[in-house]
Amino acid sequence: MANNSYSGVKNSIVEANHDGEFGCTLKELRGLMELRSAEAVTKIAEYYGDIQGLCNRLKTSPIDGLSGQPADIEKRKTVFGENFIPPKKPKTFLQLVWEALQDVTLIILEVAAIVSLGLSFYKPPDAERENCGKAAGGGGDENEAEAGWIEGAAILLSVICVVLVTAFNDWSKEKQFRGLQSRIEQEQKFTVVRGGQVIQIPVAEIVVGDIAQVKYGDLLPADGVFIQGNDLKIDESSLTGESDHVKKTLEKDPMLLSGTHVMEGSGKMVVTAVGVNSQTGIIFTLLGGGEEDDDDEEEKKKEKEEKKKQKKNWKSSAVDCKTFYVLVLSCPCQYTAKCVLIVIGLNIFLFSLGLVMSAITVIILVVLFVVDTFWIQNLSWVKQCTPVYIQFFVKFFIIGVTVLVVAVPEGLPLAVTISLAYSVKKMMKDNNLVRHLDACETMGNATAICSDKTGTLTMNRMTVVQAYIAEKHYKKVPEPENIPSSTLDILILGIAVNCAYTTKIMPPEKEGGLPRQVGNKTECALLGFSTELKRDYQAIRNEIPEEKLYKVYTFNSVRKSMSTVLKMADGSYRMFSKGASEILLKKCYKILTANGEPKVFRPRDRDDMVKKVIEPMASEGLRTICLGYRDFPASDGEPDWDNENDILSGLTCICVVGIEDPVRPEVPDAIRKCQRAGITVRMVTGDNINTARAIATKCGILQPGDDFLCLEGKEFNRRIRNEKGEIEQERIDKIWPKLRVLARSSPTDKHTLVKGIIDSTVAEQRQVVAVTGDGTNDGPALKKADVGFAMGIAGTDVAKEASDIILTDDNFSSIVKAVMWGRNVYDSISKFLQFQLTVNVVAVIVAFTGACITQDSPLKAVQMLWVNLIMDTFASLALATEPPTEALLLRKPYGRNKPLISRTMMKNILGHGVYQLVIIFTLLFAGEKLLDIDSGRNAPLHAPPSEHYTIVFNTFVMMQLFNEINARKIHGERNVFEGIFNNPIFCSIVLGTFIIQIVIVQFGGKPFSCVALTIDQWLWCTFLGFGSLLWGQVISSIPTSRLKFLKTAGHGTQKEEIPDEELEELEDMDEIDHAERELRRGQILWFRGLNRIQTQIRVVKAFRSSISLYEGLEKPESRSSIHNFMTHPEFRIEDSEPHIPLIDDTDAEDDAPTKRNSASPLSPSPNQNNNAVESSNHLLPEGPKSGTPSAPGSPLHSLETSL
């Protein structure tokens, strides 16, 4: 059968590819990977005989892998494809221009300008013109009347400029984003065997036939067939939706699929499908990635028709709102970025207000004109005058649009985007790779940080410094001569085979440097210990390769230890175990003595060892590891390996070692900064409580004499649960305020603590919690936290996927920098908000009042386009790029309920608004007398620009320029110039705006409705603008506490704002915690707003990639890398299970040598209360399962750069 199939394959190969050298076709391998479980096993047996046969057909070796020859690799790429999904082409510049033109306010202006332009060319006879009323007649000479077309042309020209600038910004941002993404993808590496050497290569370089090593926490980058492994369990929920972990074996299910996560164990696979041919790649293609099929075109047409219908219902300024709707939809945190929600609300409110005011303005102007012309002047409507009257109505309409343009703060969403994106870029230099944009702002409000110990607070370079061996406690590594040879042989053999084979000690990169530790650091310490004992562990590994290990019990949260079984030559079995000393010693009933012989090890002896050896080591901050073994005689037959409780008992203790992991030198100072900034740092570790306490004291988390708690996981569980074993929030509330160290904690304990702190309402303000994690088991806590930090070096792919920010240097001090940047983002947005609202309030009142009283807007449409679109854009760039300072860490965190617009800011907005309105109205109604110039009020239709209105416009702009300097401070500081030169962007923009304003006024002429001013007039305008700075000092002198009437804005959603039926729906959701409920209330309000406005939700121009099934809700990187597709494992934590695994059965600890190789003992039944990651496609929260809605690959999933 095999031979027949082989010859058939050979024949088909010749047709399929020109080389005809491989024994499998691409189609055949694709078909194989679509099979599951028994079907796949049968197919492999029928077609290839076994896995070895498949490897032979693919011309690869299960042990040595591919040769690595460039010609061979290229040939495989040609025949079987590359491990890369080609992204869709980016939008062209013209497409971006077209999209920028879709803005509603711009469309209104375009139409009005075109109508105005057309009518300006109609010239009724002068006699008839006189009969059309006073306003139509006098004033302008013939040349000015002929120049009536200039205003319409100027508006069109301004619109074109705005559109081109917007499109260019979008194009450059998209280009930068794609560059960033490709750089990140190049950093993604995977371990393969080539030429007998284990090497790491970029994911895109993996080819069919590669032998890939998979280990716990990996995200599989390609499809493959399992060759060999230990306890390999895969989470395939991203592809199949099944939450149970699937155990992979040669006999039952050898198929490994790309996009799935390794949750436990390790192994090898032969790669059989890459890129668009892998299972993930196939789904990718169906979703519109890579090449398109013809079938998709009909669907596209339908989508376009739907969009056309939606466009008819536009009622909002898409350019303002769409960016932030998408941002909210993609918001992954429990604590939705406050600034984003407020900006959306503000935009909706201001647009509605502007719409109402512009409508009222137009109505008043039309009524005044009609009353004046047809009633007071008693004229009748003459046919010849119709075009003249229409010109007036168009003029009034343009004034109305001017009010609308002023009301909608174009720069506000841009400020948020720029501030977040600028911070993200700068944070990368500070070793913070931000995956979710809103995590920046959230981090600024953090009140608590729950940090790991190993690698975050410590250097994660572990070495054995003490040992208890052969009945003697050595304070430094003993000489080999002092240890019995039989004991030494067993010790070295146990270390060599019972540490992951991917863990190694490599020669130093530089001469004289320290040896490089590759893999798990605790295991590296043990391997280094064997080297110091002058033994070569690699020689033993060469003699006993990984394939010859009989059975491996990998480390996980249930076992709390790692064990490896060898089959001896005489048919007996020997098992080596290692784990936390106080745990494993309870399993030992013998210990090796000074002469190398085992003797009985009684409980009393164990207690003595704990007191005399383990506790002294732990009090010095050492991690203690016990090494033991057990023999299974051949005469007893083969043990039942599945009965782990029996297998892992009756051990013989070889030794106990103390491993040192020094505290990072910069950590104590970083923790002091956190404490000064009002942030509580807690250590959550799997280590011994004495070790944890010693390290916490060295770091400064614990201070001598402080009344703080240090608990073990077992004691923590006992205190927070009632008689039925259920967790009670009231009990947690009694513990967490004083808790500083949680030792011997399981991942469930970490999740429980984080959830308990977030849900707590006992403190003055709700807590905002940041969490660090590195293992797969930390996933639930990372997702539950307001901000999750994953370790970039030691972290698993699963932890990185669950996180919001990745620490590329695994260093706690980088978290402090993230806090600083977060606070800076919050303040930058508040600064711009203060500036923007002042501009808008003043401009709307001036345009509205001026239009109603003088029948003409003091600020013309073109001038407002300059002020609102250009200047606001510049201002958002200037104020959103303020660099952070250490002073930000001297204040307490704002917390969850702090309004974005404080009372001090409201005082500044109203104070400066009053000053500007007084100046503008004084100039408007009395300026001609004060400055001895002609009045510009009540000018006829095509009157030339006046000095009067030019001075009003120039003074308005000058006041904004100087108020921009005032806006740099939002907490009532007097020195607004402090640190101004540290921000060259700000200085350049203020200076540049001033120069452009001079050009506009002096040379703008008719298009800008300006007349060149004299030096004296310029000095008056500048002096009145400078008065804003002086007035700012007056405002600062007024105590905010005295102004009781001032209100804040930007609180979270209040309960009374929610309709009763929606509240009932929320209350029906079982076990939804307070934070999630608060998030959902906010979401329901915003989604209702979305439905009302029905603005198009499209890809943020800066980050959009292409139209597809989830238009506007997909990230560009999701199209170009399998490694980034469907990468959210499903976390399940069972909070409500009454049974607690205590110290004797699982001993909640997480510090066994393979800590990084741990996997959560997750229950199959998900608790609706946890923060399970769901790749939900729903935009609306649907009942308790929604958790935190996360639209699939949303564009602003904040540079969701999955590593």
Side-chain angles (χ1 to χ4, degrees):
M1 179 70 185
N3 289 341
N4 292 342
S5 101
Y6 180 75
S7 62
V9 167
K10 267 293 190 189
N11 293 335
S12 65
I13 284 282
V14 179
E15 295 173 345
N17 61 73
H18 299 296
D19 302 297
E21 292 184 15
F22 298 105
C24 309
T25 64
L26 177 59
K27 187 176 179 182
E28 187 182 321
L29 289 175
R30 266 183 75 155
L32 174 65
M33 294 315 299
E34 285 169 5
L35 301 176
R36 300 285 178 272
S37 308
E39 288 181 350
V41 175
T42 308
K43 177 94 178 247
I44 291 170
E46 284 181 8
Y47 278 75
Y48 311 105
D50 56 12
I51 300 298
Q52 181 65 51
L54 176 61
C55 291
N56 291 343
R57 299 274 192 98
L58 292 173
K59 295 187 178 295
T60 185
S61 162
I63 294 168
D64 296 331
L66 298 176
S67 63
Q69 295 294 326
D72 180 47
I73 301 297
E74 282 307 312
K75 187 180 291 181
R76 289 173 187 275
K77 285 183 180 178
T78 306
V79 176
F80 298 111
E82 296 186 44
N83 196 27
F84 174 74
I85 295 175
K88 280 201 172 181
K89 290 179 183 175
K91 284 198 167 101
T92 63
F93 185 74
L94 287 176
Q95 284 175 305
L96 293 170
V97 167
W98 175 248
E99 284 174 357
L101 278 166
Q102 306 302 305
D103 177 51
V104 181
T105 44
L106 289 183
I107 290 170
I108 295 170
L109 274 176
E110 289 159 18
V111 171
I114 290 167
V115 173
S116 172
L117 201 59
L119 289 170
S120 67
F121 292 110
Y122 173 78
K123 288 182 288 186
D126 288 339
E128 289 177 6
R129 189 180 180 86
E130 290 298 325
N131 297 329
C132 296
K134 291 178 192 171
D141 60 23
E142 194 173 327
N143 290 334
E144 288 298 340
E146 286 176 1
W149 62 271
I150 290 179
E151 184 177 26
I155 291 174
L156 280 180
L157 197 63
S158 301
V159 168
I160 290 168
C161 287
V162 169
V163 165
L164 288 175
V165 168
T166 306
F168 179 76
N169 283 344
D170 296 342
W171 178 79
S172 58
K173 282 177 190 170
E174 185 166 339
K175 187 179 174 187
Q176 286 174 357
F177 184 79
R178 284 177 179 263
L180 173 67
Q181 185 54 36
S182 62
R183 193 180 113 199
I184 288 164
E185 283 178 1
Q186 286 164 11
E187 292 173 1
Q188 295 170 352
K189 294 200 161 131
F190 208 75
T191 308
V192 298
V193 181
R194 284 191 181 172
Q197 296 295 313
V198 177
I199 59 169
Q200 282 204 322
I201 61 171
V203 165
E205 291 297 313
I206 293 174
V207 294
V208 170
D210 260 324
I211 304 300
Q213 287 194 344
V214 299
K215 63 183 186 303
Y216 140 96
D218 279 345
L219 171 64
L220 299 184
D223 290 354
V225 178
F226 179 73
I227 297 175
Q228 165 272 326
N230 307 304
D231 262 355
L232 190 64
K233 289 182 183 172
I234 308 288
D235 175 7
E236 295 183 348
S237 58
S238 59
L239 283 179
T240 64
E242 293 295 329
S243 56
D244 290 342
H245 297 163
V246 181
K247 186 164 184 176
K248 297 294 177 181
T249 60
L250 282 170
E251 298 77 27
K252 290 184 180 176
D253 188 358
M255 313 310 279
L256 298 168
L257 307 174
S258 56
T260 59
H261 287 86
V262 182
M263 301 304 283
E264 194 175 323
S266 60
K268 281 184 186 176
M269 73 170 184
V270 56
V271 176
T272 54
V274 294
V276 292
N277 300 306
S278 66
Q279 292 303 294
T280 296
I282 292 166
I283 294 173
F284 234 119
T285 309
L286 291 173
L287 287 177
E291 292 300 315
E292 301 260 324
D293 292 330
D294 295 336
D295 302 337
D296 294 339
E297 288 182 13
E298 288 181 20
E299 289 176 21
K300 278 191 169 182
K301 284 178 186 172
K302 287 180 186 174
E303 280 179 30
K304 284 180 183 175
E305 285 171 15
E306 286 296 318
K307 279 172 202 152
K308 281 178 186 172
K309 288 178 188 172
Q310 287 175 7
K311 286 178 188 177
K312 289 177 186 173
N313 295 325
W314 277 7
K315 290 180 186 170
S316 177
S317 171
V319 86
D320 288 320
C321 300
K322 63 187 174 186
T323 303
F324 293 92
Y325 297 146
V326 175
L327 189 53
V328 164
L329 292 176
S330 65
C331 180
C333 287
Q334 293 284 355
Y335 171 41
T336 306
K338 189 189 296 177
C339 60
V340 175
L341 292 177
I342 292 163
V343 165
I344 296 171
L346 205 57
N347 264 341
I348 294 170
F349 172 72
L350 289 175
F351 185 84
S352 307
L353 185 68
L355 212 54
V356 170
M357 290 195 74
S358 64
I360 293 171
T361 306
V362 172
I363 292 167
I364 289 174
L365 287 171
V366 170
V367 168
L368 284 173
F369 174 78
V370 169
V371 168
D372 180 58
T373 305
F374 300 113
W375 190 16
I376 296 175
Q377 296 181 45
N378 202 21
L379 295 175
S380 57
W381 187 294
V382 183
K383 187 179 178 183
Q384 289 84 351
C385 290
T386 301
V388 177
Y389 296 149
I390 291 176
Q391 277 182 303
F392 272 104
F393 294 146
V394 169
K395 178 187 174 185
F396 299 152
F397 183 68
I398 289 174
I399 292 170
V401 174
T402 304
V403 174
L404 179 62
V405 167
V406 173
V408 179
E410 302 287 341
L412 195 49
L414 187 64
V416 180
T417 307
I418 288 175
S419 185
L420 290 172
Y422 173 77
S423 300
V424 164
K425 191 175 175 185
K426 292 291 184 184
M427 284 171 77
M428 283 187 77
K429 292 180 182 174
D430 285 339
N431 302 308
N432 285 277
L433 178 60
V434 180
R435 297 183 65 249
H436 298 141
L437 268 178
D438 58 349
C440 296
E441 188 240 337
T442 308
M443 195 58 213
N445 294 321
T447 57
I449 299 173
C450 295
S451 175
D452 271 355
K453 175 180 74 68
T454 307
T456 310
L457 301 175
T458 61
M459 294 175 72
N460 203 19
R461 181 173 182 88
M462 301 199 187
T463 47
V464 173
V465 292
Q466 293 188 27
Y468 180 86
I469 187 167
E471 295 187 303
K472 187 171 181 186
H473 184 178
Y474 294 91
K475 292 287 187 178
K476 59 180 184 177
V477 176
E479 295 296 322
E481 305 84 56
N482 298 339
I483 304 171
S485 59
S486 60
T487 303
L488 194 57
D489 290 341
I490 289 176
L491 175 65
I492 302 303
L493 177 62
I495 289 173
V497 300
N498 196 33
C499 288
Y501 276 47
T502 51
T503 303
K504 298 173 183 175
I505 302 289
M506 307 288 282
E509 288 178 340
K510 295 179 183 175
E511 199 172 329
L514 293 168
R516 282 183 299 141
Q517 295 186 339
V518 179
N520 183 275
K521 303 303 182 194
T522 312
E523 291 183 339
C524 285
L526 294 174
L527 295 176
F529 182 47
S530 71
T531 307
E532 287 192 64
L533 292 173
K534 300 180 175 56
R535 293 295 188 95
D536 183 11
Y537 70 87
Q538 193 57 50
I540 296 172
R541 289 184 169 184
N542 293 339
E543 189 182 326
I544 309 172
E546 196 171 4
E547 296 78 28
K548 288 191 179 179
L549 302 180
Y550 189 78
K551 175 82 177 166
V552 177
Y553 297 97
T554 54
F555 179 87
N556 66 27
S557 334
V558 176
R559 294 192 185 107
K560 307 297 180 186
S561 64
M562 177 179 176
S563 303
T564 302
V565 180
L566 297 178
K567 188 169 185 178
M568 314 304 282
D570 60 358
S572 64
Y573 301 92
R574 173 167 286 175
M575 179 182 73
F576 293 98
S577 294
K578 68 179 189 300
S581 53
E582 67 267 43
I583 310 293
L584 218 58
L585 282 176
K586 291 179 181 177
K587 321 271 187 186
C588 295
Y589 81 117
K590 288 185 180 179
I591 188 167
L592 295 181
T593 59
N595 58 8
E597 295 297 320
K599 74 166 188 181
V600 176
F601 188 60
R602 293 183 294 273
R604 187 175 67 248
D605 301 326
R606 184 175 68 233
D607 294 342
D608 285 346
M609 185 184 282
V610 168
K611 284 179 185 170
K612 294 178 181 176
V613 177
I614 293 171
E615 286 182 1
M617 282 185 184
S619 64
E620 293 177 39
L622 303 184
R623 166 178 281 188
T624 56
I625 301 293
C626 175
L627 301 167
Y629 75 98
R630 178 181 177 183
D631 285 325
F632 297 91
S635 57
D636 292 351
E638 185 165 358
D640 177 7
W641 300 114
D642 292 332
N643 189 351
E644 291 183 32
N645 285 338
D646 285 347
I647 297 293
L648 198 63
S649 61
L651 301 177
T652 301
C653 175
I654 305 171
C655 73
V656 173
V657 295
I659 297 174
E660 182 182 47
D661 186 10
V663 171
R664 289 180 183 266
E666 63 274 24
V667 161
D669 184 51
I671 287 176
R672 271 196 301 277
K673 284 180 182 175
C674 281
Q675 291 166 340
R676 193 170 64 234
I679 302 169
T680 304
V681 182
R682 294 178 176 83
M683 180 197 288
V684 182
T685 178
D687 250 343
N688 175 303
I689 191 164
N690 293 320
T691 307
R693 190 183 281 117
I695 297 290
T697 305
K698 286 181 185 177
C699 292
I701 292 173
L702 291 177
Q703 303 288 346
D706 282 346
D707 180 24
F708 291 135
L709 283 175
C710 295
L711 294 178
E712 281 192 337
K714 173 179 145 184
E715 175 64 13
F716 174 71
N717 268 295
R718 190 185 65 75
R719 291 197 188 191
I720 65 170
R721 295 180 186 260
N722 59 22
E723 300 73 25
K724 298 177 183 176
E726 296 164 343
I727 297 170
E728 289 184 354
Q729 184 63 42
E730 295 75 20
R731 291 173 180 249
I732 298 177
D733 289 342
K734 290 176 184 174
I735 294 172
W736 73 259
K738 287 190 175 183
L739 183 66
R740 291 296 177 272
V741 176
L742 184 59
R744 285 282 178 253
S745 63
S746 69
T748 313
D749 297 336
K750 191 172 187 176
H751 177 269
T752 303
L753 175 64
V754 171
K755 182 179 178 303
I757 296 175
I758 289 173
D759 292 350
S760 177
T761 53
V762 292
E764 284 181 28
Q765 60 180 19
R766 293 281 308 285
Q767 298 287 298
V768 178
V769 184
V771 169
T772 70
D774 52 16
T776 302
N777 286 328
D778 293 324
L782 288 170
K783 289 302 292 183
K784 182 66 191 172
D786 295 305
V787 182
F789 285 89
M791 303 297 117
I793 300 168
T796 62
D797 288 337
V798 177
K800 290 173 187 174
E801 287 302 329
S803 69
D804 301 301
I805 299 175
I806 295 171
L807 297 177
T808 53
D809 63 347
D810 289 13
N811 194 337
F812 184 85
S813 61
S814 298
I815 299 176
V816 180
K817 289 175 183 169
V819 171
M820 209 157 73
W821 274 107
R823 292 186 174 191
N824 192 59
V825 165
Y826 201 89
D827 282 4
S828 293
I829 294 165
S830 293
K831 287 172 189 175
F832 182 75
L833 207 53
Q834 177 176 299
F835 171 74
Q836 175 77 72
L837 291 179
T838 308
V839 176
N840 284 101
V841 166
V842 173
V844 168
I845 293 173
V846 167
F848 177 74
T849 312
C852 293
I853 295 174
T854 67
Q855 293 195 34
D856 191 8
S857 174
L859 302 169
K860 303 293 186 277
V862 178
Q863 293 172 351
M864 286 319 305
L865 278 174
W866 154 241
V867 169
N868 207 54
L869 295 179
I870 314 291
M871 191 173 163
D872 284 2
T873 303
F874 287 165
S876 64
L877 189 61
L879 291 168
T881 53
E882 286 274 329
T885 62
E886 289 281 336
L888 289 165
L889 296 175
L890 298 177
R891 65 165 173 81
K892 300 297 180 192
Y894 290 143
R896 288 179 191 269
N897 301 324
K898 169 76 168 62
L900 194 62
I901 303 172
S902 64
R903 289 176 68 190
T904 304
M905 287 170 62
M906 197 69 81
K907 176 183 76 174
N908 293 338
I909 291 167
L910 294 177
H912 286 290
V914 167
Y915 171 80
Q916 292 183 18
L917 286 171
V918 167
I919 297 294
I920 293 292
F921 283 135
T922 303
L923 286 175
L924 186 60
F925 297 110
E928 71 273 21
K929 295 173 186 172
L930 295 173
L931 299 171
D932 193 23
I933 52 176
D934 293 333
S935 172
R937 295 191 303 279
N938 302 317
L941 189 59
H942 292 298
S946 64
E947 278 185 327
H948 185 191
Y949 274 22
T950 303
I951 289 171
V952 171
F953 165 59
N954 199 29
T955 304
F956 178 74
V957 173
M958 288 298 111
M959 287 193 292
Q960 304 319 320
L961 266 180
F962 286 102
N963 193 35
E964 199 169 330
I965 298 170
N966 274 328
R968 293 185 65 248
K969 303 296 176 185
I970 54 172
H971 299 301
E973 300 94 329
R974 284 191 174 279
N975 185 3
V976 292
F977 292 98
E978 185 185 355
I980 194 169
F981 295 113
N982 294 337
N983 187 1
I985 297 175
F986 183 90
C987 299
S988 308
I989 284 173
V990 169
L991 189 63
T993 309
F994 186 69
I995 291 168
I996 295 171
Q997 179 65 15
I998 292 172
V999 172
I1000 287 174
V1001 170
Q1002 297 301 107
F1003 308 106
K1006 179 77 175 172
F1008 278 93
S1009 304
C1010 288
V1011 177
L1013 300 179
T1014 64
I1015 294 291
D1016 287 353
Q1017 290 167 339
W1018 265 103
L1019 287 173
W1020 273 110
C1021 293
T1022 310
F1023 172 73
L1024 291 172
F1026 183 77
S1028 290
L1029 291 175
L1030 302 175
W1031 183 249
Q1033 296 300 309
V1034 174
I1035 294 171
S1036 298
S1037 305
I1038 303 170
T1040 310
S1041 55
R1042 295 280 178 89
L1043 306 174
K1044 302 290 185 188
F1045 63 90
L1046 288 178
K1047 301 289 182 186
T1048 57
H1051 290 282
T1053 310
Q1054 303 301 316
K1055 185 169 181 177
E1056 53 271 18
E1057 296 175 43
I1058 314 278
D1060 293 339
E1061 62 272 14
E1062 282 164 5
L1063 264 180
E1064 285 169 19
E1065 184 186 330
L1066 283 170
E1067 281 158 11
D1068 287 341
M1069 299 176 181
D1070 294 335
E1071 299 185 86
I1072 300 294
D1073 63 53
H1074 185 79
E1076 287 173 17
R1077 188 171 290 149
E1078 184 180 287
L1079 170 66
R1080 294 206 188 147
R1081 285 174 181 155
Q1083 283 173 329
I1084 286 170
L1085 274 186
W1086 294 123
F1087 285 124
R1088 285 172 62 226
L1090 275 181
N1091 291 334
R1092 289 189 189 123
I1093 288 169
Q1094 292 181 314
T1095 190
Q1096 67 179 160
I1097 300 170
R1098 298 181 58 176
V1099 180
V1100 178
K1101 287 183 268 179
F1103 301 111
R1104 68 187 106 193
S1105 67
S1106 57
I1107 296 171
S1108 88
L1109 186 63
Y1110 305 114
E1111 162 107 60
L1113 296 172
E1114 65 188 5
K1115 56 187 177 190
E1117 73 268 27
S1118 69
R1119 297 205 158 276
S1120 55
S1121 168
I1122 292 184
H1123 207 64
N1124 290 332
F1125 180 68
M1126 292 203 292
T1127 52
H1128 291 301
E1130 193 163 310
F1131 299 115
R1132 304 179 304 284
I1133 290 287
E1134 187 146 322
D1135 287 344
S1136 56
E1137 190 67 45
H1139 172 69
I1140 312 300
L1142 295 181
I1143 201 96
D1144 286 315
D1145 34 62
T1146 64
D1147 244 316
E1149 67 87 20
D1150 201 6
D1151 81 332
T1154 47
K1155 181 185 175 204
R1156 309 261 178 239
N1157 296 350
S1158 58
S1160 178
L1162 303 174
S1163 157
S1165 66
N1167 184 344
Q1168 290 139 353
N1169 201 2
N1170 79 359
N1171 198 35
V1173 183
E1174 299 190 7
S1175 298
S1176 168
N1177 295 339
H1178 301 296
L1179 299 184
L1180 289 168
E1182 294 189 87
K1185 288 188 182 177
S1186 283
T1188 303
S1190 173
S1194 37
L1196 276 188
H1197 233 359
S1198 168
L1199 305 178
E1200 191 160 332
T1201 44
S1202 320
L1203 286 187

